[in-house]
Amino acid sequence: MRAVLRGSCHCGAVRITIPRKPDYINDCNCSLCVKKGANWCYFTPAEVLVEGGPLHAYVRADCAEPCLTTHSCATCGCTTHWSPLEPQTLDRMGVNAGLFEPGDMDGIEVRPIDGRSWDV
């Protein structure tokens, strides 16, 4: 049985539990991910438990067709996760791998993603 991992924002107000280590972590260089300082791991929404808050939600205004909402702790500002704007079209969400203790992600492949090419 795989162990669950628990992480949190800096102040601890938002806590996220994932069921296992991710298969990989995306290090995206799009303007949003770089400024938010997030590296993403992916799970279905049913696998992720988000507790606490309050959360601040942000939808990119610079995209012709935005498809997700990024969430951050309204208290300390740490980016916590993203969720699809239309959940029925994408059964995946992103969790900021930086919320977990460094050792929790040991051995996980980090994939550089050229998100800059997606920026409008």
Side-chain angles (χ1 to χ4, degrees):
M1 181 174 174
R2 297 177 178 177
V4 299
L5 298 174
R6 292 179 179 83
S8 69
C9 63
H10 190 262
C11 73
V14 179
R15 298 163 309 282
I16 294 189
T17 302
I18 55 177
R20 63 190 170 281
K21 284 187 174 188
D23 296 330
Y24 59 91
I25 297 169
N26 275 350
D27 179 10
C28 179
N29 70 351
C30 81
S31 59
L32 181 63
C33 291
V34 167
K35 289 186 183 283
K36 287 199 164 280
N39 289 325
W40 303 107
C41 54
Y42 307 100
F43 297 92
T44 66
E47 295 178 295
V48 178
L49 176 62
V50 179
E51 299 176 287
L55 289 169
H56 171 75
Y58 175 73
V59 176
R60 289 182 72 154
D62 63 337
C63 288
E65 296 182 30
C67 60
L68 56 89
T69 302
T70 55
H71 304 274
S72 57
C73 174
T75 304
C76 68
C78 288
T79 300
T80 55
H81 63 290
W82 65 255
S83 57
L85 283 173
E86 297 182 30
Q88 66 277 13
T89 62
L90 183 63
D91 191 30
R92 176 172 92 156
M93 66 182 287
V95 175
N96 184 359
L99 300 179
F100 301 90
E101 294 301 315
D104 289 347
M105 298 298 168
D106 283 354
I108 304 299
E109 175 189 5
V110 178
R111 298 178 179 176
I113 300 297
D114 183 19
R116 286 277 172 185
S117 64
W118 306 333
D119 284 342
V120 186

